[in-house]
């Protein structure tokens, strides 16, 4: 209640006041989700940034984790002062071709913990990705009219087989 006392004959005047308190411990993340462009299998994308901002109250016990074919580095430490921000750098290294999903999860002492950021990216494989199989050789000496056998891996996914080449030289 607000009470106003003055010399007016109808005094004192009173005003009723109401309100709702909030803890101010909210944490925000921006952007709310990340999508990585096509990335060649087994290569790492350029980093993208998520900004974490503390509310009116400092946060503690900060833990940052990612899942899937994504990884992170950050400058956040284990807590943030009130209204402070930090950056989380995320990269994408697809292990297989196709659409891949992951999640950035931020756990802390804020009342809206945990915060999550969905992550998506597409791994792409160009061509057959044909290479010499583990333990195989990429060259050999053979006599004219003989056949050479090479063990090859296709797509780098463990699919393997034998390729043959025969040459016949005539004089």
């Amino acid at each position: 209640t607000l009470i106003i006392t003055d010399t007016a004959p109808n005094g004192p005047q009173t005003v009723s006041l109401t309100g709702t308190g909030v803890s101010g411990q909210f944490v925000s993340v921006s952007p709310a989700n990340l999508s990585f462009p096509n990335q060649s299998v087994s290569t790492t994308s350029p980093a993208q940034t998520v900004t974490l901002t503390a509310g009116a109250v400092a946060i503690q016990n900060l833990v940052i984790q990612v899942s899937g074919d994504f990884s992170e580095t950050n400058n956040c430490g284990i807590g943030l002062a009130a209204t402070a921000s930090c950056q989380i750098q995320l990269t994408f290294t697809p292990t297989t071709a196709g659409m891949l999903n992951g999640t950035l999860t931020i756990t802390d002492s804020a009342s809206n913990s945990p915060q999550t950021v969905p992550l998506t990216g597409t791994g792409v494989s160009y061509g057959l990705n044909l290479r010499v199989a583990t333990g195989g050789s990429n060259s050999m000496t053979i006599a004219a009219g003989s056949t050479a056998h090479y063990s090859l891996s296709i797509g780098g996914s463990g699919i393997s087989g034998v390729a043959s080449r025969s040459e016949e030289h005539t004089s």
Side-chain angles (χ1 to χ4, degrees):
T1 302
L2 171 65
I3 300 172
I4 302 170
T5 304
D6 57 21
T7 58
N10 62 344
Q13 291 84 33
T14 61
V15 178
S16 295
L17 304 173
T18 60
T20 303
V22 294
S23 69
Q25 289 186 340
F26 295 107
V27 172
S28 66
V29 292
S30 179
N33 59 61
L34 276 184
S35 180
F36 287 81
N38 290 352
Q39 185 67 35
S40 293
V41 171
S42 300
T43 65
T44 301
S45 71
Q48 292 191 41
T49 303
V50 169
T51 300
L52 175 66
T53 304
V57 175
I59 59 171
Q60 301 170 8
N61 307 318
L62 184 59
V63 177
I64 299 170
Q65 298 173 308
V66 290
S67 66
D69 290 357
F70 302 88
S71 58
E72 65 84 20
T73 59
N74 68 77
N75 65 351
C76 299
I78 58 171
L80 282 177
T83 70
S85 294
C86 65
Q87 284 70 43
I88 303 166
Q89 301 291 320
L90 293 132
T91 56
F92 172 51
T93 307
T95 56
T96 187
M99 176 70 90
L100 301 168
N101 298 303
T103 303
L104 167 65
T105 303
I106 303 163
T107 307
D108 50 53
S109 61
S111 57
N112 65 329
S113 180
Q115 301 83 35
T116 59
V117 177
L119 307 171
T120 59
T122 301
V124 293
S125 181
Y126 298 103
L128 286 177
N129 196 12
L130 187 63
R131 61 181 164 208
V132 175
T134 304
S137 173
N138 64 354
S139 67
M140 65 179 64
T141 303
I142 60 168
S146 298
T147 302
H149 295 278
Y150 296 92
S151 293
L152 302 174
S153 174
I154 300 170
S157 300
I159 301 169
S160 61
V162 175
S164 297
R165 178 179 175 155
S166 296
E167 290 189 33
E168 191 172 311
H169 294 278
T170 56
S171 303

